[in-house]
Amino acid sequence: MTKNELIDAVAEKTGVTKKDTGEVVNEAIDTIMNHLKSEAKKAEDKRDNVQLIGFGTFEVKDRSARKGRNPQTGEEIQIPARKVPVFRSGKSFKETVDV
């Protein structure tokens, strides 16, 4: 399902226009991303996450530096440390998917 298909489905289910639904969906996604972006600047133990009860939790984790290999040349390279977004699904979401 694409974002447009999600917007169409929510608009149909709620009776709200696709334009208004699209604005709400886009704003919700932007809010989550902006919150995680601001949290990424903090120390890992001080970060806040975005928790949607029943759906899941979005958070930022630190990935440490490591050694890797260039697949074309086989040369060993150093992969720098970075911050990555992580999603953990909630209990209700897991139960819904496990049919």
Side-chain angles (χ1 to χ4, degrees):
M1 175 180 269
T2 65
K3 184 164 67 168
N4 285 334
E5 291 170 339
L6 173 66
I7 291 168
D8 291 345
V10 171
E12 184 177 317
K13 205 166 199 172
T14 61
V16 179
T17 66
K18 289 182 185 179
K19 180 182 177 193
D20 290 342
T21 303
E23 289 175 4
V24 170
V25 168
N26 286 329
E27 191 57 42
I29 292 169
D30 288 346
T31 301
I32 292 169
M33 290 192 315
N34 288 334
H35 179 74
L36 293 179
K37 181 179 180 180
S38 67
E39 292 300 309
K41 296 174 185 172
K42 299 178 183 178
E44 188 169 19
D45 60 339
K46 302 285 186 195
R47 291 184 194 144
D48 189 22
N49 56 28
V50 177
Q51 184 177 24
L52 305 174
I53 303 296
F55 182 67
T57 303
F58 298 90
E59 59 188 326
V60 177
K61 293 281 190 177
D62 289 334
R63 183 175 288 168
S64 59
R66 62 192 191 281
K67 292 181 181 178
R69 291 209 179 272
N70 181 331
Q72 292 179 336
T73 64
E75 175 188 1
E76 190 172 275
I77 57 173
Q78 184 66 24
I79 300 171
R82 60 187 301 188
K83 293 172 177 52
V84 294
V86 176
F87 174 76
R88 289 182 293 128
S89 57
K91 182 180 177 184
S92 297
F93 187 26
K94 288 177 187 176
E95 290 171 353
T96 301
V97 173
D98 188 24
V99 178

